[in-house]
Amino acid sequence: MQTWSHAFPEAVEAARPFIVHLQAASPERETFSSGSGVILDNFHVLAAAQVVGAEDDVTLLTATGKRLTARPLAVDPVYLLTVLRLDSRLDLGPASIVPAEALRAGQPVLSAGCPLGMDLAVSQGVVSMVDLTVYRQDRVPVDGLIVTDAALHPGNAGGPLISAAGEIVGINTAPWVPGFSLAVQGEVAARVANQIIEFGSATHPWLGFSGQPEIIDRELSQLFALPADRGLVVSHVVPGGPGEKAGLQVFDMVVRIGAKPVSTVGLMRKLLSLHRPGDKVRVTVLRAGNLLETSFPVEEIPILSGS
């Protein structure tokens, strides 16, 4: 078996072509900042919003020493990620991003970035939590966060969290509590970026109800051939919200979004976020021993939509 002393440097080298050093200047605010970014494809780069703002002038330096300019497309207000479009094409294939379901607590990871240009800063740790949801002071939920004890060096925000195989697990965001840092799951960051590229903004769905995970009765699970042994039990429905519009009632158990099993409000939001506001998504619920289907409207969180 390959030792970590060889595996980790090789993992960093595999990811290195996708890591860039960013410099952002704001003529209006007369500020200058620098940090790291991740190349998504030939024309797009992900960066942290604390480094690159929506109106900044941006230059970046690649692993090969190539200097490029880029323009911000948008800053996502929930994940605080800035999507950049390069002014010239990069001859580099798409980044290899690990699906969230492949992440495991205890998995070794490397936090990497280029805070000083060509110099690479790397720290080692493990995944402490795979899929954390935190709530901002305005109660906006932020789903799909990875908690790791890999130190986040100054300037590494926006750089990648890397697996031992050299794949991108997440995008480094910020320190969390002493000894731990947060990263956005790679597939969540890619989804946000792709929606910004295609539509100009990402989807942040509002459920309009609260609920808790609960084990599904084995007989019902077998009777309906359900794909999981847990569901999301509705405890409160907000009048006029998407949950009420979908016909959900207290004590309903949501078991599927489309064909995907669901057991937490965070997972339900993540599945709905794959759609656009105005879409309706098929939701399957257990109610009093009966399996029912309803259409759940995708609506943006009111505080984000301005409503």
Side-chain angles (χ1 to χ4, degrees):
M1 180 180 288
Q2 192 178 33
T3 63
W4 294 130
S5 62
H6 291 91
F8 285 166
E10 291 179 8
V12 173
E13 285 305 308
R16 180 66 181 93
F18 298 94
I19 308 172
V20 296
H21 172 67
L22 295 168
Q23 295 179 334
S26 174
E28 292 184 3
R29 299 193 304 271
E30 297 183 349
T31 59
F32 176 84
S33 58
S34 65
S36 305
V38 175
I39 298 170
L40 290 177
D41 56 37
N42 300 121
F43 282 103
H44 299 98
V45 173
L46 260 179
Q50 62 261 46
V51 176
V52 181
E55 305 298 329
D56 288 355
D57 298 324
V58 184
T59 60
L60 57 88
L61 190 65
T62 70
T64 59
K66 189 173 185 179
R67 191 172 295 276
L68 301 169
T69 57
R71 58 183 177 86
L73 294 181
V75 174
D76 184 77
V78 172
Y79 291 98
L80 300 180
L81 295 172
T82 304
V83 181
L84 307 172
R85 180 171 175 84
L86 298 171
D87 293 328
S88 56
R89 186 180 189 275
L90 264 179
D91 292 324
L92 190 66
S96 178
I97 297 177
V98 174
E101 58 264 25
L103 299 178
R104 296 291 183 271
Q107 176 179 337
V109 286
L110 301 163
S111 175
C114 291
L116 301 174
M118 294 295 288
D119 293 333
L120 191 66
V122 180
S123 59
Q124 174 196 341
V126 298
V127 173
S128 176
M129 297 179 68
V130 170
D131 192 8
L132 175 70
T133 294
V134 299
Y135 287 84
R136 305 188 325 191
Q137 288 185 344
D138 57 6
R139 300 303 297 164
V140 170
V142 185
D143 302 307
L145 297 177
I146 303 168
V147 181
T148 174
D149 63 351
L152 187 59
H153 297 299
N156 275 17
L161 193 67
I162 306 167
S163 73
E167 298 172 307
I168 295 174
V169 171
I171 304 296
N172 299 322
T173 54
W176 184 40
V177 295
F180 293 93
S181 300
L182 296 177
V184 180
Q185 290 177 352
E187 68 174 19
V188 171
R191 187 269 303 173
V192 168
N194 289 333
Q195 288 181 333
I196 285 175
I197 292 166
E198 185 173 359
F199 304 108
S201 64
T203 303
H204 304 293
W206 177 43
L207 298 185
F209 74 88
S210 57
Q212 297 293 329
E214 191 168 305
I215 296 174
I216 301 173
D217 182 273
R218 180 175 295 182
E219 293 182 358
L220 289 175
S221 180
Q222 293 175 345
L223 175 63
F224 296 117
L226 298 177
D229 64 352
R230 293 178 184 271
L232 176 62
V233 176
V234 177
S235 57
H236 174 72
V237 180
V238 179
E244 185 182 70
K245 293 174 184 177
L248 295 186
Q249 301 175 10
V250 174
F251 300 129
D252 280 352
M253 177 183 281
V254 181
V255 294
R256 282 196 300 254
I257 302 291
K260 297 283 189 178
V262 62
S263 59
T264 66
V265 290
L267 178 56
M268 184 166 179
R269 282 190 296 260
K270 285 174 64 178
L271 293 172
L272 291 174
S273 71
L274 300 175
H275 302 269
R276 296 300 293 168
D279 291 348
K280 290 190 175 181
V281 181
R282 179 169 53 89
V283 172
T284 306
V285 301
L286 276 171
R287 178 182 297 165
N290 297 310
L291 200 64
L292 309 173
E293 287 192 353
T294 183
S295 293
F296 197 96
V298 180
E299 297 183 11
E300 193 75 1
I301 297 173
I303 194 172
L304 299 178
S305 65
S307 56

